[in-house]
Amino acid sequence: DFASIMVRNEAYFPTREADAKEGDGTWKTGYLAKQPKRAVQAQEGRVIGATALITGSTVGAGILALPASVVNAGYGPSSAVLVACWMLLAVEAFLLAEVNVALREETNAGTEKDVESKDGGQTKIVSLTQMAERTLGSTASTFVSSAYLFLSYTLLVAYLAKAGELLGGIVHVPPAAAGVAFAAVMGGSIFVGSDQSTDKVNRGFTGALMVLFLLIGLDAFMETHGDLSHLTYADWSQAPACVPIAFLALVYHDLVPVVCSYLDGDRDKIRKAVLGGSLIPLAMFLLWNAAFLSLAPTGMGVDPLDYLGRDEIMSGLLSMFGVLAIATSLIGTLVSMTEYIISHVPEDLTLLDKAKEKLKHMGTEVESPNLLRPFAFLAVLLPPLTVAFTDPDIFLSASAFAGAYGMTTLYGIVPPLMALSLRKEKKAEMPELVPGGSGLLVGLGLSAFLIAGGQARLDFP
């Protein structure tokens, strides 16, 4: 994830190696020992920052798909689905944090089963792949990596298809051309920019996104043709169809390892950050659905966003909001996938760079481009661009597919399995963020499996 790369960058979050507290509350070694008392207090009080990190990551492209996915069920059933998914995902996030913190502590203590740290020092972030390998084995780690790639490519297809549609409407060009331009601009800016510049762009987009959210939500509630009686409509038989998009919209679990590192494995702070950071988007999504479901006839399969878009000014704001929501989501996915491919690229693809270095040591300078990073960007962008513009209307179906299968697997089934394995190994030695025995963990995994299975019955009747 983009945020994890920021955390690993010392200019963004300074490293804190071998920190240790004295009895009087001061720090005797490491980064904090060099800071004044006020700075130490700021370092210890990072819950608000972690909460904002989760909130900003959660409010993204998924919000665009919510109104159309819930209109047939109505506000009551769709709200119940959102709250139920939030509860399930909060518990799953606690399980991820429980395993992550336990492995951080294990690694920092220098046990025989250390999670490897690529920089050779104390592990700062334990990734989901590392967690799976340590708790479930190398086969599970390979499966998690494959599921991650599947999920990320599916999301990129959805993002690029919707971006092409929105930008095409704004500048009046074909969606395919607009989508290619969007991918080129976003990918190019990330490719040539530094981590810090990309972070500044992302923060600017997120701030503008929040402002537009308030403007659009207020306008929807104040519309003269809005009717709050629409919110009383309920068709509970349509509630299961809301689950995949609700799951997609509420997921933030790729950030859990980052938050665990950011808060130094403090379980109480992690719990507060996860609860606060996920409750804010839940409240926003409930208000967003209420605003738009009051505009459109319910139960008719009409996208409520189309009603607000009839006003020319509001249509432009909606398009801008959509592009920003996609951009903030795309940045994280694009950066994380690029870094993933670079770290897993076959050795023979780096032979040119190795040969260049060898010649340099022999006293011969050879000017040649580093082909690895351009290759990674093309490998990330070209496949989803091809799929997205083969079927320009794929946004909603691709989003539902990602939520029903990719996210339920990675963030619904895998966390209970990892926690179950580690709890059996460590028994009473490991503090639990989620109280309960094996039955609870099996039930959580089964719930996620049933979500995927229910969607499979709809997709493959």
Side-chain angles (χ1 to χ4, degrees):
D1 184 86
F2 171 69
S4 68
I5 294 168
M6 295 293 103
V7 171
R8 288 196 293 268
N9 189 310
E10 288 193 33
Y12 191 74
F13 292 134
T15 57
R16 300 173 300 283
E17 65 282 352
D19 291 325
K21 262 189 179 178
E22 295 278 20
D24 61 358
T26 61
W27 296 84
K28 62 182 181 182
T29 61
Y31 173 77
L32 294 181
K34 306 171 188 175
Q35 308 303 311
K37 186 174 181 180
R38 183 174 296 178
V40 171
Q41 292 171 345
Q43 291 284 349
E44 291 183 284
R46 293 180 162 195
V47 176
I48 294 177
T51 300
L53 190 65
I54 292 174
T55 298
S57 175
T58 307
V59 180
I63 197 172
L64 299 176
L66 273 176
S69 69
V70 305
V71 66
N72 288 333
Y75 186 68
S78 64
S79 297
V81 167
L82 276 170
V83 172
C85 285
W86 172 83
M87 293 174 64
L88 173 63
L89 287 168
V91 176
E92 299 276 3
F94 289 149
L95 288 176
L96 280 175
E98 178 182 309
V99 174
N100 190 278
V101 172
L103 296 186
R104 280 172 52 84
E105 292 174 347
E106 177 184 275
T107 301
N108 295 340
T111 63
E112 293 181 358
K113 292 183 177 180
D114 282 354
V115 178
E116 293 182 2
S117 175
K118 288 187 177 180
D119 60 6
Q122 192 177 32
T123 300
K124 298 299 185 293
I125 296 177
V126 182
S127 70
L128 183 61
T129 303
Q130 290 173 311
M131 292 162 62
E133 183 170 8
R134 167 63 181 83
T135 57
L136 302 175
S138 58
T139 301
S141 176
T142 301
F143 173 78
V144 166
S145 297
S146 301
Y148 165 76
L149 287 174
F150 164 79
L151 172 62
S152 298
Y153 273 120
T154 305
L155 289 174
L156 284 174
V157 168
Y159 297 159
L160 294 173
K162 191 65 174 179
E165 175 192 332
L166 293 172
L167 282 174
I170 293 174
V171 299
H172 306 293
V173 299
V180 170
F182 177 78
V185 170
M186 293 299 298
S189 62
I190 294 172
F191 178 75
V192 302
S194 64
D195 287 346
Q196 290 85 356
S197 63
T198 304
D199 174 56
K200 289 178 182 178
V201 170
N202 190 51
R203 290 186 183 203
F205 283 170
T206 301
L209 187 70
M210 294 299 180
V211 172
L212 287 174
F213 175 86
L214 293 174
L215 290 175
I216 293 169
L218 285 173
D219 186 83
F221 272 120
M222 294 170 62
E223 280 288 316
T224 55
H225 57 269
D227 188 351
L228 293 180
S229 66
H230 290 170
L231 303 184
T232 62
Y233 172 84
D235 184 352
W236 288 93
S237 68
Q238 295 294 320
C242 305
V243 173
I245 298 298
F247 213 89
L248 169 70
L250 289 166
V251 159
Y252 49 88
H253 295 56
D254 55 331
L255 283 178
V256 171
V258 178
V259 170
C260 291
S261 174
Y262 185 47
L263 297 177
D264 297 320
D266 188 313
R267 291 176 175 84
D268 290 335
K269 290 180 180 179
I270 292 168
R271 186 183 289 110
K272 291 176 183 177
V274 167
L275 284 175
S278 60
L279 273 171
I280 294 171
L282 173 65
M284 292 175 67
F285 295 159
L286 291 172
L287 289 172
W288 179 263
N289 282 347
F292 284 103
L293 290 181
S294 69
L295 296 177
T298 47
M300 297 178 62
V302 179
D303 188 345
L305 291 178
D306 293 340
Y307 276 76
L308 195 59
R310 291 176 178 179
D311 177 80
E312 186 174 347
I313 295 177
M314 190 50 57
S315 177
L317 289 178
L318 271 174
S319 296
M320 290 171 57
F321 177 85
V323 171
L324 287 173
I326 291 169
T328 55
S329 298
L330 183 74
I331 287 174
T333 305
L334 183 57
V335 172
S336 62
M337 279 197 71
T338 301
E339 295 299 325
Y340 178 90
I341 288 177
I342 289 174
S343 66
H344 289 78
V345 73
E347 286 292 324
D348 56 353
L349 289 177
T350 63
L351 287 179
L352 179 61
D353 294 324
K354 290 180 178 178
K356 183 173 67 173
E357 285 298 315
K358 188 173 182 179
L359 288 171
K360 183 177 180 180
H361 285 302
M362 295 171 61
T364 304
E365 290 285 348
V366 178
E367 289 296 332
S368 61
N370 186 332
L371 299 179
L372 186 55
R373 194 165 180 79
F375 165 80
F377 266 86
L378 290 175
V380 169
L381 283 174
L382 287 183
L385 267 176
T386 303
V387 176
F389 303 119
T390 301
D391 183 2
D393 299 321
I394 202 173
F395 173 69
L396 193 59
S397 58
S399 298
F401 202 81
Y405 304 116
M407 290 185 174
T408 52
T409 301
L410 272 182
Y411 307 128
I413 297 174
V414 171
L417 292 177
M418 293 193 299
L420 188 63
S421 173
L422 204 58
R423 285 184 183 185
K424 284 185 177 180
E425 177 188 328
K426 292 184 175 289
K427 296 183 169 50
E429 300 174 15
M430 186 175 76
E432 297 178 358
L433 277 170
V434 179
S438 300
L440 174 64
L441 299 182
V442 171
L444 290 169
L446 184 60
S447 298
F449 178 79
L450 290 175
I451 291 173
Q455 185 65 26
R457 291 185 61 185
L458 297 175
D459 291 339
F460 310 105

